[in-house]
């Protein structure tokens, strides 16, 4: 199994809603990532987890709250988002930090109204 | 400040010919470079990588060249196939004080291979 699975694929939410994006991998990877990609822009790193601990937070606003319940799962909790937060949110995993190759999911397309 | 740049937003090549995608970087601390391929509505897929201790890495039709003094790398695809049509992202990592996998992506180049 070489897949990173993200749900939902599409999400539309209002600015007062609370929702979550989910990511799952069963490759035994110990590092997991959230990236954000706006249209015609490169993916930008948001968070990195290593061995279920938050390793990097790229100064992301607190309305985005990551969670890593176990080594296979990564969540991104969303609350009080702004329309400019609309983007493709990509989850990725790797064997560990510093191993280079990241395996990406297909992404969750988020629209904030 | 864009640390990884792909100055060609798009490239069109005939099937069977060589595709050359270019990437420049500014941070001399980068020591690992990767190319990812992305189809619409899919996540990026790893293609090939190169460490800064090498200047060339080859995998089938794909070859990556690294010129450290020029802070430049390129991806060669030979021969190009219509299925290679996608957005190609260059990415770099390293120099962040310890084991890390903070990839910095370039802006991408849309490759169109014409049959």
């Amino acid at each position: 199994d070489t897949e990173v699975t993200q749900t939902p694929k599409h999400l539309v939410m209002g600015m007062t809603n609370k929702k979550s994006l989910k990511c799952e991998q069963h490759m035994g990877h110990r590092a997991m990532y959230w990236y954000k990609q706006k249209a015609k822009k490169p993916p930008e790193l948001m968070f990195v987890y290593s061995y279920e601990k938050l390793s990097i937070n790229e100064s992301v606003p607190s309305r985005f709250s990551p969670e890593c319940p176990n080594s296979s799962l990564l969540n991104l909790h969303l609350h009080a988002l702004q329309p400019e937060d609309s983007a493709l949110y990509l989850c990725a995993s790797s064997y560990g930090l510093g191993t280079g190759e990241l395996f990406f999911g297909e992404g969750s397309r988020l629209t904030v109204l | 400040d864009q640390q990884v740049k792909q100055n060609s937003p798009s490239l069109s090549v005939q099937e069977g010919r060589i595709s050359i995608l270019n990437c420049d970087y500014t941070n001399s601390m980068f020591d690992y470079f990767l190319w990812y391929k992305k189809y619409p509505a899919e996540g990026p897929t790893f293609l090939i990588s190169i460490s800064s201790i090498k200047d060339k890495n080859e995998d089938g039709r794909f070859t990556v060249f690294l010129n450290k003094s020029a802070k430049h790398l390129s991806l060669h695809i030979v021969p190009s196939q219509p299925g290679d049509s996608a957005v190609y992202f260059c990415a770099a990592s390293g120099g962040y004080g310890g084991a890390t996998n903070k990839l910095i992506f370039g802006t991408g180049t849309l490759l169109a291979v014409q049959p």
Side-chain angles (χ1 to χ4, degrees), chain A residues 33 42 58 98 100-102 104-105, chain B residues 32 34 36 43 46 100-102 106:
Chain A
Y33 312 76
E58 287 290 288
E101 181 184 345
L102 268 61
F104 282 87
Chain B
Y32 195 71
L34 307 91
Y36 280 83
F46 170 74
T100 180
N101 219 9
K102 182 175 174 176

Side-chain angles (χ1 to χ4, degrees), chain A residues 33 35 37 42-43 45 56 58 90 94 96-98 100-102 104-106, chain B residues 2 32 34 36 38 41-44 46 89 99-103 105-107:
Chain A
Y33 312 76
Y35 277 81
Q37 186 177 21
L45 182 66
I56 296 176
E58 287 290 288
L90 292 161
S94 65
L97 291 182
E101 181 184 345
L102 268 61
F104 282 87
E106 293 186 354
Chain B
Q2 191 70 29
Y32 195 71
L34 307 91
Y36 280 83
K38 187 177 186 301
E42 292 186 11
F46 170 74
F89 287 100
T100 180
N101 219 9
K102 182 175 174 176
L103 283 186
F105 283 86
T107 48

Side-chain angles (χ1 to χ4, degrees), chain A residues 37 40-43, chain B residues 4 6 21 23 34-38 44-45 47 75 87-91 105-109:
Chain A
Q37 186 177 21
K40 299 192 188 305
K41 296 285 188 183
Chain B
V4 180
Q6 293 174 255
L21 296 98
C23 179
L34 307 91
W35 284 94
Y36 280 83
K37 175 178 171 179
K38 187 177 186 301
T45 302
L47 203 53
L75 174 68
V87 176
Y88 288 79
F89 287 100
C90 168
F105 283 86
T107 48
T109 296

Side-chain angles (χ1 to χ4, degrees), chain A:
Chain A
D1 184 0
T2 57
E3 277 193 349
V4 175
T5 305
Q6 290 188 243
T7 56
K9 289 197 176 355
H10 300 275
L11 178 63
V12 179
M13 60 186 290
M15 289 190 284
T16 58
N17 291 158
K18 280 187 182 181
K19 297 284 185 184
S20 297
L21 304 180
K22 297 186 185 302
C23 176
E24 190 169 1
Q25 57 87 15
H26 296 289
M27 294 179 277
H29 291 176
R30 303 316 297 258
M32 296 187 77
Y33 312 76
W34 281 115
Y35 277 81
K36 173 181 177 179
Q37 186 177 21
K38 303 275 278 184
K40 299 192 188 305
K41 296 285 188 183
E44 293 182 351
L45 182 66
M46 299 175 72
F47 302 103
V48 181
Y49 273 83
S50 176
Y51 289 87
E52 300 153 45
K53 287 187 170 31
L54 185 63
S55 175
I56 296 176
N57 176 342
E58 287 290 288
S59 303
V60 179
S62 60
R63 57 186 185 268
F64 295 92
S65 175
E67 179 197 18
C68 190
N70 61 57
S71 59
S72 299
L73 293 174
L74 184 66
N75 299 321
L76 186 62
H77 302 299
L78 314 170
H79 175 52
L81 294 193
Q82 305 295 313
E84 58 264 30
D85 296 321
S86 298
L88 180 69
Y89 289 84
L90 292 161
C91 174
S93 68
S94 65
Y95 288 107
L97 291 182
T99 57
E101 181 184 345
L102 268 61
F103 291 78
F104 282 87
E106 293 186 354
S108 292
R109 174 74 60 189
L110 173 67
T111 303
V112 182
L113 300 176

